[in-house]
Amino acid sequence: MNKVMSNKLFIAFYIAPALLMITILIFIPLILSGYYGLMDWDGIGAKTFIGLENYIAGIQDKLFWNSALHSFLLAIFSTFSLAIYLLVSFILASKIKGSDFLRKIYLIPMLLSSVAIAQLWVKMYNPSNGMLNAFLNMIGIDNPPTWLANPSIVLYAIFIPILWQYAGFYILIYYAALKNIPESLIEAARIDGATPAQIALRIKLPLIKEVVSVTIVLAIVGSLKYFDLIYVMTAGGPNGASEVMASYMYKLAFSSYNFGYGSAIGFLLLVITLIVTFIIRKVTATKERIEY
Amino acid sequence: MMIKKKTLTVLLSAVVSSFMLVGCSSDSGEKSSASGEKEIQFMHLWPEGSSKKHYDVVNDIIADYEKENEGVKVDLEVLSNEQYKDKLRVLSTSKELPDVGLTWSAGFLEPYVGGNMFAPLDDVIESDLKDAFVPGTAEAYAIDDKTYGLPLELNIVSLYYNEKMFKDNNIEVPATYEELIEASKAFREKGIQPVALGNRDSWTGSMWYMYLADRIGGADTLNKAIDRSGSFEDPALVEAAKEVQNLVDNGVFVDGFNGLADEEAKSMFMSGQSPMYLIATWDLPNYTTNEDVPQEFRDSVKYMNFPTVKGQGDMSSFVGGPGVGLFVAEDSDVKEEAKDFAAYFVKEWGEKAVTEAGVIPATKVDAESLDLPQMYTDILNELNTASNITLFADVQMSPGVAQTHLDSIQALFGKEMTPEEFAKAHEDALSKQ
């Protein structure tokens, strides 16, 4: 078997299908969307080459940067919420009663489709019939906010279901990482007189540092290209107050029939995400490899 | 051991290569089957779940057509509204439009006609459907004197109200715009939110704006602003935008309307939470024939034409226009059959849509000879005596401008834009195109 696996021809042969798929489904569309960005095109008729005009317009587009700001806000919120997930995982991993059960409960939102989650929360946020405002009325608040209609609240109102949706995923990752730490290390620390908090912060956290840095990248990149819940809940409204980069791109390409400009925005989104990923990888890079 | 390794390698290779083969095999969409049968692909947007009656009527027509035309088969694909729009667009970019499908009029058509995707249907109208359509409907599908769609629906927007709620609360049904505001205030005092409006889908708010523009500025002002012989900065149009904000200030619309979808607003009206709802005739079955809606509710719903504003305006001028119509794909392999089917469909639809689905078709209806619900007959009469029908603004405009219009409507209703800024946003978008 080893002999077979070191044969270059075979390596190429085995890699080919996956490479082919990625090329067709990811790299070629990427290049194409960059190319369409150079065109004045409604998506149906003839394309006219206009050089970098779309990209320049994109960079000067206030609405685009506004949506980018919202995307970055989401990224910041997701990153900070990782701390909460980490805390929950610490508790779950510390052999409390029913931790198995709780872990499964946290995972439920992961099992629902985004559209179902969006519909669920739209119903909860409904200003007249929603659960949330009914509760607020009950405790004596007369004019509860109209969550999804108020431009200064809507973005945060949508962040909550998004964070809720992914909580289980990150908790699962952290939980698995924490469970991976050999018991002997914890034991040793305990004998040396470390408190539970010290064990968590000084022993466990450094040991799962690599996992944390991966989740930060996942959270930030996922936030920057986030689309589905926002599209279903508000479609970026009211008046762009909850627009993110991906929903703005969709609106341009599919509602305004400005496919060329939409492609250019999509390409800018890619560039921004690449740069941010690169920076985070630089910042969170760990030199030493941890081996148990 | 040696053999084992070899078997493994062979096995793995087999797995890998079969995987690659799957990726390569393409379905070469056979259009005509071996027996020489012609197949017409038809795509529509009335799924069984949400538009049962439409769905059944379509199936009936197809069954009849296949019976009458030996050797022709209609291959059906059904999607819901928004998905339909998305799919149509994707199919058109890859030049794989269905032979017959549904399109909207005016601005929606432009890119498709510009891209040479739809076939002109003047010959079909000339030979088969002469004088069949209500004047002005087929024209809405014309670009440069060629007609690209056969209209199926005709809609006008009316203000529907729940008479029982007015009675129960001792509030007079308003006859004028001023009374509408007074009635709304009275409802607010009783803790009832007066008008159901789902302005997340901002075409709903657009209808309010359009009616105000029509009543204040007359039938032509808005049309002229859109076709550039006039301007959105026309005092009447700015005034209409001001009146929109006046309605908002007086609490006429339900709380949080900018975050509600039209479906949510509709359910507020239909569950008796809000007494008024401005919507087009496509919802008529819900208030007349739809058995899924409680009889008690259907009985208590009445309609009125949009009232005059400060004594101005013509109450028989409507916002509305043709809804969807049939197109035939320009590069269809079975173009002649497709045209024939489309013409057949329009004729059959004209009869069946009225009696079975309860919608108003774009073909002329003989109301006398049919047994129809009273409200249906009344609205049909309004339609026949209408002095003007202004086509929905977002349909009239080209897609890019329509998007600006819809976004600005949301901002105007949300008071993030002044009426003047609202006018300017339209002027900017229109002058750019």
Side-chain angles (χ1 to χ4, degrees):
Chain A
M1 201 64 204
N2 275 339
K3 219 171 159 192
V4 173
M5 283 309 187
S6 58
N7 183 333
K8 291 232 167 60
L9 202 69
F10 271 100
I11 295 175
F13 187 65
Y14 287 138
I15 290 176
L19 188 68
L20 199 74
M21 285 271 184
I22 290 188
T23 312
I24 294 174
L25 295 175
I26 299 185
F27 291 126
I28 292 180
L30 268 186
I31 295 164
L32 278 180
S33 86
Y35 165 73
Y36 292 148
L38 300 171
M39 302 288 161
D40 178 20
W41 186 33
D42 61 11
I44 297 169
K47 304 184 195 75
T48 337
F49 182 82
I50 51 166
L52 288 173
E53 222 170 276
N54 279 332
Y55 291 94
I56 293 165
I59 289 168
Q60 293 168 341
D61 186 346
K62 263 197 338 228
L63 292 174
F64 171 65
W65 289 112
N66 199 28
S67 66
L69 173 73
H70 297 156
S71 292
F72 276 102
L73 270 176
L74 177 60
I76 291 167
F77 270 78
S78 323
T79 313
F80 280 110
S81 62
L82 288 178
I84 304 170
Y85 306 150
L86 193 58
L87 184 71
V88 173
S89 313
F90 273 130
I91 297 168
L92 285 180
S94 67
K95 291 190 196 119
I96 58 156
K97 242 191 200 163
S99 80
D100 216 35
F101 177 67
L102 285 172
R103 199 159 43 90
K104 282 176 185 127
I105 288 193
Y106 285 124
L107 204 61
I108 288 176
M110 274 296 290
L111 307 177
L112 299 173
S113 82
S114 292
V115 178
I117 292 178
Q119 292 295 351
L120 188 76
W121 283 81
V122 163
K123 299 229 153 46
M124 294 198 356
Y125 279 136
N126 186 303
S128 316
N129 306 322
M131 226 165 76
L132 193 59
N133 279 6
F135 173 73
L136 291 177
N137 275 328
M138 208 174 69
I139 60 171
I141 296 171
D142 277 337
N143 281 313
T146 54
W147 303 99
L148 298 179
N150 187 331
S152 48
I153 303 179
V154 59
L155 195 61
Y156 305 98
I158 294 186
F159 284 174
I160 292 169
I162 298 177
L163 299 182
W164 178 74
Q165 178 183 19
Y166 287 105
F169 174 68
Y170 291 113
I171 289 175
L172 194 72
I173 292 181
Y174 289 146
Y175 179 83
L178 289 170
K179 280 288 171 190
N180 239 347
I181 300 172
E183 197 58 31
S184 57
L185 289 177
I186 314 292
E187 203 70 26
R190 211 170 282 145
I191 290 166
D192 285 343
T195 62
Q198 280 174 323
I199 293 177
L201 290 176
R202 298 280 169 80
I203 311 279
K204 288 182 175 171
L205 194 58
L207 285 175
I208 62 165
K209 210 167 138 195
E210 204 142 303
V211 175
V212 174
S213 100
V214 169
T215 55
I216 291 176
V217 174
L218 280 180
I220 291 179
V221 173
S223 304
L224 290 182
K225 56 178 198 178
Y226 198 77
F227 174 74
D228 32 12
L229 222 65
I230 291 179
Y231 178 69
V232 182
M233 287 179 74
T234 62
N239 191 28
S242 61
E243 201 87 83
V244 291
M245 287 191 281
S247 66
Y248 186 59
M249 169 187 81
Y250 181 89
K251 193 179 255 182
L252 286 174
F254 290 94
S255 304
S256 305
Y257 281 52
N258 202 341
F259 221 82
Y261 190 34
S263 300
I265 294 289
F267 203 76
L268 287 179
L269 166 61
L270 171 76
V271 172
I272 290 174
T273 316
L274 276 179
I275 294 172
V276 171
T277 314
F278 180 75
I279 294 171
I280 311 165
R281 293 301 290 174
K282 268 265 142 93
V283 172
T284 61
T286 40
K287 292 267 151 50
E288 16 157 1
R289 296 240 355 131
I290 297 160
E291 301 221 8
Y292 301 128
Chain B
M1 267 320 262
M2 204 47 215
I3 298 163
K4 239 186 170 177
K5 267 184 204 164
K6 218 173 187 173
T7 337
L8 188 65
T9 321
V10 171
L11 255 173
L12 271 175
S13 313
V15 170
V16 169
S17 43
S18 68
F19 185 48
M20 288 175 85
L21 280 176
V22 170
C24 294
S25 88
S26 69
D27 65 308
S28 42
E30 290 280 309
K31 277 208 170 170
S32 47
S33 60
S35 60
E37 203 174 59
K38 298 248 168 122
E39 202 173 286
I40 302 172
Q41 294 167 323
F42 177 43
M43 204 161 101
H44 75 69
L45 44 66
W46 297 298
E48 194 173 5
S50 56
S51 311
K52 178 97 174 70
K53 299 212 153 156
H54 290 73
Y55 179 84
D56 290 343
V57 169
V58 172
N59 282 356
D60 280 357
I61 296 174
I62 290 175
D64 287 350
Y65 184 78
E66 286 178 345
K67 216 185 289 164
E68 285 175 34
N69 295 272
E70 202 77 8
V72 181
K73 210 178 144 292
V74 178
D75 184 20
L76 189 65
E77 184 173 355
V78 189
L79 295 152
S80 68
N81 195 321
E82 291 305 312
Q83 288 165 318
Y84 179 89
K85 280 185 190 162
D86 286 352
K87 178 143 189 181
L88 196 66
R89 197 198 153 76
V90 173
L91 288 177
S92 69
T93 36
S94 53
K95 304 218 187 303
E96 283 175 7
L97 281 179
D99 301 311
V100 182
L102 297 175
T103 177
W104 286 261
S105 56
F108 182 89
L109 269 174
E110 270 172 32
Y112 292 93
V113 171
N116 231 357
M117 297 281 165
F118 292 169
L121 297 171
D122 296 284
D123 48 337
V124 181
I125 297 177
E126 198 56 38
S127 64
D128 263 354
L129 297 163
K130 215 162 194 256
D131 297 327
F133 296 111
V134 175
T137 53
E139 285 81 346
Y141 295 84
I143 291 177
D144 296 336
D145 290 330
K146 284 186 189 152
T147 314
Y148 293 91
L150 304 176
L152 292 179
E153 300 171 316
L154 180 55
N155 297 297
I156 52 170
V157 177
S158 317
L159 185 61
Y160 292 86
Y161 63 94
N162 189 331
E163 197 177 37
K164 188 166 170 295
M165 286 183 78
F166 277 92
K167 271 191 194 142
D168 289 351
N169 292 290
N170 281 324
I171 294 169
E172 291 257 336
V173 174
T176 66
Y177 175 76
E178 292 69 29
E179 284 174 26
L180 175 77
I181 293 176
E182 287 314 310
S184 298
K185 282 186 190 159
F187 273 116
R188 276 280 171 194
E189 267 166 37
K190 308 226 172 193
I192 295 170
Q193 305 180 21
V195 172
L197 171 70
N199 206 32
R200 187 169 90 210
D201 309 331
S202 27
W203 53 265
T204 51
S206 171
M207 299 192 305
W208 279 91
Y209 168 73
M210 285 187 70
Y211 261 126
L212 289 167
D214 178 280
R215 295 297 184 261
I216 295 170
D220 275 343
T221 321
L222 186 63
N223 287 341
K224 280 188 179 149
I226 294 172
D227 73 20
R228 302 318 293 142
S229 57
S231 159
F232 266 90
E233 279 158 346
D234 186 293
L237 295 183
V238 177
E239 173 84 24
K242 272 185 193 147
E243 283 307 326
V244 164
Q245 297 194 330
N246 183 26
L247 289 172
V248 173
D249 289 339
N250 280 300
V252 170
F253 303 117
V254 294
D255 296 342
F257 51 80
N258 259 354
L260 294 177
D262 176 55
E263 289 297 320
E264 291 172 273
K266 190 190 310 257
S267 78
M268 289 182 82
F269 178 62
M270 302 213 14
S271 63
Q273 264 187 298
S274 290
M276 291 175 274
Y277 181 46
L278 186 74
I279 199 72
T281 34
W282 57 68
D283 257 16
L284 207 48
N286 281 340
Y287 315 131
T288 53
T289 53
N290 190 347
E291 298 291 337
D292 297 337
V293 180
Q295 182 71 43
E296 197 201 340
F297 174 77
R298 281 186 277 156
D299 287 343
S300 56
V301 173
K302 301 281 179 293
Y303 80 94
M304 66 175 107
N305 295 352
F306 197 90
T308 54
V309 178
K310 293 173 190 155
Q312 292 170 291
D314 172 6
M315 275 177 74
S316 61
S317 172
F318 290 93
V319 169
V324 291
L326 292 173
F327 72 81
V328 171
E330 175 69 25
D331 57 356
S332 163
D333 296 345
V334 286
K335 203 153 142 193
E336 285 317 306
E337 286 79 4
K339 282 184 176 175
D340 185 52
F341 171 68
Y344 181 88
F345 192 98
V346 169
K347 276 186 270 181
E348 291 285 303
W349 177 265
E351 291 162 28
K352 292 198 163 132
V354 182
T355 48
E356 286 165 38
V359 294
I360 297 183
T363 35
K364 291 172 185 159
V365 182
D366 180 12
E368 299 293 310
S369 63
L370 298 164
D371 179 29
L372 299 167
Q374 189 56 43
M375 196 196 291
Y376 188 97
T377 326
D378 290 346
I379 289 195
L380 206 56
N381 283 334
E382 302 283 2
L383 195 59
N384 290 335
T385 54
S387 62
N388 163 63
I389 296 177
T390 307
L391 185 60
F392 298 111
D394 58 324
V395 179
Q396 263 188 72
M397 297 166 176
S398 63
V401 182
Q403 191 60 48
T404 306
H405 169 67
L406 294 173
D407 289 346
S408 312
I409 281 285
Q410 229 176 25
L412 179 73
F413 274 73
K415 303 194 73 179
E416 292 157 58
M417 236 183 207
T418 64
E420 289 76 19
E421 287 165 350
F422 177 79
K424 189 162 181 309
H426 282 82
E427 282 300 305
D428 288 350
L430 281 161
S431 59
K432 244 199 301 190
Q433 76 177 144

